[in-house]
Amino acid sequence: MLAGLVMVVFIVAMSVLAPFLGTQDPTFLGSQVDSPPSPRHPLGTDIGARDMLARVVWGGRFLLIVAALAVILCMAVGIPLGLLSAYRGGMVDRVVTLILDSIYAFPSLVFALIIVIVFGSSVFIYALAIAVVYVPSYFRVVRSQTLTVKELPYVDAAKSAGAGRLAIIRKYIWPNIIPSVVTVATINFADAILITAGLDFIGVGNLTRPDWGVDLYYGREAILSGAWWVIAFSGLMILVTTLGFSLISEGYAERTNPKLR
Amino acid sequence: MGLRDYVIIRVLLTIPLVLILLSVVFLLIRVLPGNPCLLKFEHNVNPQLLATCESSLGLNKPLYVQFVDYFLGLFRGNLGLSMVDFQPVSAQILSRFPATLELVLYSFMVAVIVGILLGSLGATRRGSVTDGAVKVIGILLYSWPVFFLGLIFQLIFGVYLNWLPTGGRLCAGCQVPQGLTIGSVHIQTGLYTVDSILAGNLPDLVDSVRHLILPALTLGLVISGVFIRITRTNMLETLRADYVTAARARGLKDRTVVYGYALRNALLPVVTVMGLQFALLLSGAVLTETEFNIDGIGRFLVDRVNFLDYTAIQGAVVFIAILIATVALFIDILYAYLDPRVRL
């Protein structure tokens, strides 16, 4: 978990501090196309002769913003929906569960691809696309945890002592669903990065943006002439980010659920 | 509940799933700006020709009529005409499906073999260095972007070592394996590895396998991360079960206990996860097909997205939805068969 935290802090710090790190302009089209690492370009240049070091430093900003926004959107929709469904039961529960289960079963990248194609490739649309495919995950854990907890004797006791529904949710249900929500959120963060970079990789995003996924899109051509530096560093950055979040998720899950150890 | 009743209920539950996805995608795609007929004629068209084009695609009808028409056509296996080349979408999809199926099947095999081997290895040596390594490999593979792994493989094995091709399904200009003809019956699956075996053509088989190795390894290894973790966790729980202790107490060999008793039971929950992994596998297939120039459903979808080919996009999505529903159904039934408790 510590290793994961270090990785995530490193990536976030680099992305936040990018304007102050004195790199070259990541979108500046130079003249030396696909040149290997050199003192002038420590990580080489890409097919547009852009400095790879600058692209690596700047390339995480879009991905991280999309992922963070997506996680917030997912929580804002998925958690209340899960609580509502578990509490109301009946028809509402069945319909909501059926619709969200359908989305859950579908390949997330394909769904996100269609949303981005229809509505455009802005930060908000990317986040929305990922939120749509990830809300079902939050919904499922919140719903199932709530269903379990709300039948427990101490909740019944609180009810008979006159506690209102909101008070029960806040005091008894909420603390029980937090661990699962945090675990889902960390995986969601990693997956959001993978989906966003994946969409960039197939070329549906804005290809002029400094973005690790876009670098890999250009890298498909570049590697045929052996230009490994175009893919290596940006790819590693994506990997470090997703690995960091996966490690945090794993560590947190083990800490809150000793059975997994 | 008997197995037959279970199957019937499960089949009925599949229908709304496909229907919901179909409606969502139908509406989403209709929101798209741009008229495919205008795109086709590059905006210089007389109104009459435009009207003919729109009526041939059914675009002049009200939205709900288009939806009902589409839905009724679906039952006859008709997914409409492509808005780009005016060919039937169902035929285009079916001709590309074998490429996706072949990739997915071999990737799945890689994922299951690697997942079960490493997962059970870790569980039987719990807490050791091997177990630690297995855990790390599992998380690493799970987090690895599939397109990045593919690029690395292409670079190392395709460009530097020049051992394997970096794209396509057969060598450039090679003929597609013809399959087998017995009397008047012609068997051709579209899976090049199978067809070349049927035709008894060794060079074709070698060629198609060579083209499959890198994409199948790429996709399979990334998916195997999940299998490693699930197998390990389940195996750990099973190894603690009373019947395993009992088997050990009776003096059975460790191998027999682990692989004869524990593994079989530990794999039961793995079967259910396979259904969900299938969706992940298809997401990965879209990326892998694009990366390795494999002419499957995923690449078809990405290509048609660029032309705003509504019907083709919709057709591909409906096809994927039906495919997933069918696989989920099959896996649920398999699970109900393997574990009678599910039917209670």
Side-chain angles (χ1 to χ4, degrees):
Chain A
M1 184 163 172
L2 188 66
L5 275 173
V6 171
M7 290 178 190
V8 170
V9 168
F10 166 72
I11 295 285
V12 172
M14 183 180 79
S15 301
V16 171
L17 298 175
F20 310 105
L21 294 177
T23 60
Q24 300 173 26
D25 179 355
T27 54
F28 177 74
L29 300 163
S31 54
Q32 292 171 296
V33 175
D34 281 343
S35 68
S38 63
R40 196 171 134 68
H41 300 289
L43 304 184
T45 62
D46 72 357
I47 201 158
R50 288 163 292 216
D51 181 52
M52 282 313 298
L53 176 63
R55 293 190 69 81
V56 165
V57 171
W58 285 80
R61 291 166 72 98
F62 181 78
L63 299 177
L64 288 175
I65 295 173
V66 167
L69 205 58
V71 170
I72 295 170
L73 274 175
C74 283
M75 284 187 173
V77 178
I79 298 174
L81 218 52
L83 286 169
L84 177 84
S85 208
Y87 256 96
R88 286 293 287 275
M91 210 48 198
V92 175
D93 181 36
R94 249 174 276 165
V95 172
V96 176
T97 308
L98 191 66
I99 293 177
L100 292 186
D101 272 359
S102 312
I103 298 176
Y104 185 75
F106 201 73
S108 48
L109 185 90
V110 176
F111 221 116
L113 170 72
I114 290 167
I115 294 175
V116 169
I117 290 306
V118 174
F119 298 105
S121 60
S122 68
V123 173
F124 184 74
I125 299 301
Y126 263 92
L128 185 78
I130 291 160
V132 170
V133 293
Y134 243 94
V135 160
S137 304
Y138 289 82
F139 171 80
R140 286 165 79 108
V141 295
V142 171
R143 179 176 172 274
S144 71
Q145 292 277 353
T146 310
L147 282 177
T148 322
V149 177
K150 87 173 189 173
E151 302 302 331
L152 292 177
Y154 64 77
V155 176
D156 276 342
K159 249 187 243 167
S160 51
R165 190 174 283 179
L166 273 180
I168 290 178
I169 290 180
R170 204 180 60 233
K171 269 179 116 172
Y172 302 102
I173 312 256
W174 186 240
N176 278 295
I177 60 175
I178 284 180
S180 321
V181 169
V182 171
T183 311
V184 173
T186 43
I187 301 173
N188 181 191
F189 215 108
D191 273 359
I193 302 266
L194 286 178
I195 294 175
T196 313
L199 290 175
D200 290 335
F201 175 75
I202 50 180
V204 296
N206 174 0
L207 295 173
T208 57
R209 191 171 49 214
D211 181 319
W212 298 327
V214 174
D215 291 342
L216 296 189
Y217 168 81
Y218 288 121
R220 277 163 62 190
E221 286 284 318
I223 58 159
L224 296 178
S225 56
W228 57 270
W229 54 90
V230 179
I231 60 155
F233 305 108
S234 302
L236 269 182
M237 286 296 140
I238 303 179
L239 176 62
V240 168
T241 318
T242 53
L243 184 62
F245 281 106
S246 302
L247 286 171
I248 293 176
S249 163
E250 187 93 344
Y252 185 81
E254 277 188 7
R255 195 170 280 198
T256 48
N257 181 5
K259 257 199 202 160
L260 293 172
R261 267 176 232 162
Chain B
M1 200 192 305
L3 190 60
R4 203 191 61 174
D5 294 350
Y6 180 81
V7 172
I8 292 172
I9 291 178
R10 201 50 200 78
V11 170
L12 291 177
L13 279 174
T14 310
I15 297 169
L17 183 134
V18 174
L19 203 64
I20 289 169
L21 279 172
L22 169 68
S23 323
V24 170
V25 172
F26 187 89
L27 288 174
L28 262 181
I29 288 177
R30 287 307 185 278
V31 178
L32 266 173
N35 179 333
C37 285
L38 276 179
L39 274 179
K40 181 177 160 57
F41 299 116
E42 292 170 342
H43 299 272
N44 325 312
V45 60
N46 67 46
Q48 210 178 353
L49 206 55
L50 186 67
T52 322
C53 168
E54 283 183 344
S55 73
S56 74
L57 293 174
L59 289 173
N60 52 347
K61 295 179 187 165
L63 199 60
Y64 70 92
V65 178
Q66 289 185 37
F67 183 76
V68 173
D69 280 354
Y70 189 76
F71 191 68
L72 291 178
L74 194 63
F75 279 104
R76 295 189 302 259
N78 176 6
L79 294 172
L81 294 180
S82 156
M83 294 186 175
V84 170
D85 51 21
F86 294 86
Q87 298 298 311
V89 170
S90 44
Q92 294 182 330
I93 288 179
L94 282 181
S95 73
R96 283 167 174 87
F97 178 55
T100 304
L101 183 67
E102 195 165 42
L103 171 67
V104 164
L105 280 179
Y106 285 95
S107 308
F108 196 67
M109 251 155 40
V110 172
V112 169
I113 293 172
V114 173
I116 291 176
L117 279 181
L118 287 185
S120 47
L121 183 75
T124 47
R125 293 183 172 68
R126 190 182 181 199
S128 69
V129 180
T130 317
D131 184 30
V134 164
K135 269 170 90 175
V136 171
I137 293 173
I139 297 178
L140 205 58
L141 286 176
Y142 175 79
S143 319
W144 208 294
V146 64
F147 40 94
F148 182 40
L149 190 64
L151 286 173
I152 294 175
F153 281 165
Q154 284 180 326
L155 187 66
I156 297 177
F157 299 104
V159 179
Y160 288 154
L161 298 172
N162 208 6
W163 285 352
L164 293 165
T166 54
R169 294 178 71 198
L170 283 174
C171 51
C174 287
Q175 236 196 344
V176 171
Q178 290 303 310
L180 180 66
T181 309
I182 312 169
S184 59
V185 186
H186 181 62
I187 309 170
Q188 191 171 10
T189 58
L191 310 176
Y192 291 172
T193 46
V194 176
D195 286 344
S196 49
I197 292 175
L198 286 177
N201 189 332
L202 189 65
D204 272 2
L205 177 65
V206 173
D207 190 39
S208 48
V209 169
R210 273 168 48 84
H211 280 82
L212 256 176
I213 292 177
L214 289 186
L217 263 186
T218 303
L219 187 52
L221 281 177
V222 170
I223 304 288
S224 75
V226 183
F227 285 109
I228 294 176
R229 294 169 66 180
I230 298 165
T231 311
R232 183 183 168 274
T233 317
N234 283 316
M235 190 77 173
L236 278 179
E237 276 193 12
T238 318
L239 284 175
R240 267 182 291 207
D242 290 341
Y243 66 89
V244 173
T245 319
R248 285 217 166 102
R250 271 186 273 131
L252 289 179
K253 266 190 252 158
D254 211 40
R255 273 177 78 97
T256 320
V257 175
V258 172
Y259 296 104
Y261 287 59
L263 186 62
R264 277 168 60 179
N265 285 296
L267 287 186
L268 212 56
V270 177
V271 173
T272 36
V273 187
M274 284 181 186
L276 285 175
Q277 290 320 302
F278 190 71
L280 198 62
L281 208 61
L282 283 179
S283 275
V286 173
L287 293 166
T288 317
E289 285 175 9
T290 311
E291 184 165 30
F292 286 93
N293 291 326
I294 295 172
D295 212 2
I297 307 271
R299 198 167 149 225
F300 175 72
L301 183 69
V302 174
D303 283 349
R304 291 312 165 96
V305 148
N306 295 321
F307 291 107
L308 294 188
D309 191 346
Y310 297 169
T311 30
I313 301 173
Q314 198 167 274
V317 170
V318 169
F319 185 79
I320 293 175
I322 294 174
L323 193 64
I324 286 188
T326 314
V327 170
L329 179 71
F330 174 75
I331 284 175
D332 269 11
I333 293 171
L334 179 71
Y335 194 66
Y337 172 75
L338 291 174
D339 187 350
R341 282 174 302 181
V342 177
R343 283 178 263 147
L344 290 176

